[in-house]
Amino acid sequence: MGVFKKVVTFLNRFKQVFYSYDDEGFSAAEKEYIDNIKNANPYGIFVLIFGGISFAFGPQYVIFPVITLTVAILTIWTFDKEKEDNPWTFFLGTVLSLTGLYMHIVGAIHVLIL
């Protein structure tokens, strides 16, 4: 459990790279306003995008849903309710990747009918 906490702490520190901005030329009030705006969790956005890829290509390539689920499980604990908007990106990405994994297991494919 100690290793897991260290990984989550590292990921939380790494998130600050995504939130950094060049504040040269901003007044103190503008900096404070920008810092109070809720952001989206960058890992949640990653999970959502790769969840869509997992849904689209998961039935053929099982590696996409597996990677997406692994990242989702490891990074859901980095969500901060006070600084970030909502956790739905994690949930939707996870559901899409589970759907892609399920489709791979049962052998279903996407069929384009014109």
Side-chain angles (χ1 to χ4, degrees), residues 2-112:
V3 174
F4 182 71
K5 286 184 180 183
K6 288 180 182 179
V7 168
V8 170
T9 303
F10 171 74
L11 291 172
N12 277 331
R13 279 194 227 138
F14 191 65
K15 270 196 315 189
Q16 297 308 317
V17 172
F18 296 107
Y19 294 150
S20 65
Y21 61 93
D22 184 20
D23 59 359
E24 186 176 326
F26 289 148
S27 68
E30 291 170 333
K31 289 178 189 178
E32 183 179 333
Y33 175 73
I34 290 173
D35 289 337
N36 289 334
I37 296 173
K38 288 190 174 190
N39 298 317
N41 190 311
Y43 303 122
I45 294 171
F46 175 83
V47 169
L48 180 62
I49 291 169
F50 271 82
I53 292 170
S54 298
F55 176 74
F57 299 109
Q60 290 87 11
Y61 308 105
V62 73
I63 192 72
F64 291 126
V66 170
I67 289 174
T68 305
L69 288 172
T70 304
V71 170
I73 290 169
L74 289 176
T75 59
I76 187 69
W77 308 110
T78 63
F79 182 73
D80 184 7
K81 292 179 183 178
E82 294 177 12
K83 294 182 180 179
E84 294 166 351
D85 201 8
N86 60 39
W88 281 99
T89 53
F90 285 106
F91 301 146
L92 292 175
T94 302
V95 167
L96 287 171
S97 64
L98 284 172
T99 304
L101 183 64
Y102 174 76
M103 289 176 70
H104 178 78
I105 290 171
V106 298
I109 58 170
H110 298 288
V111 178
L112 177 64

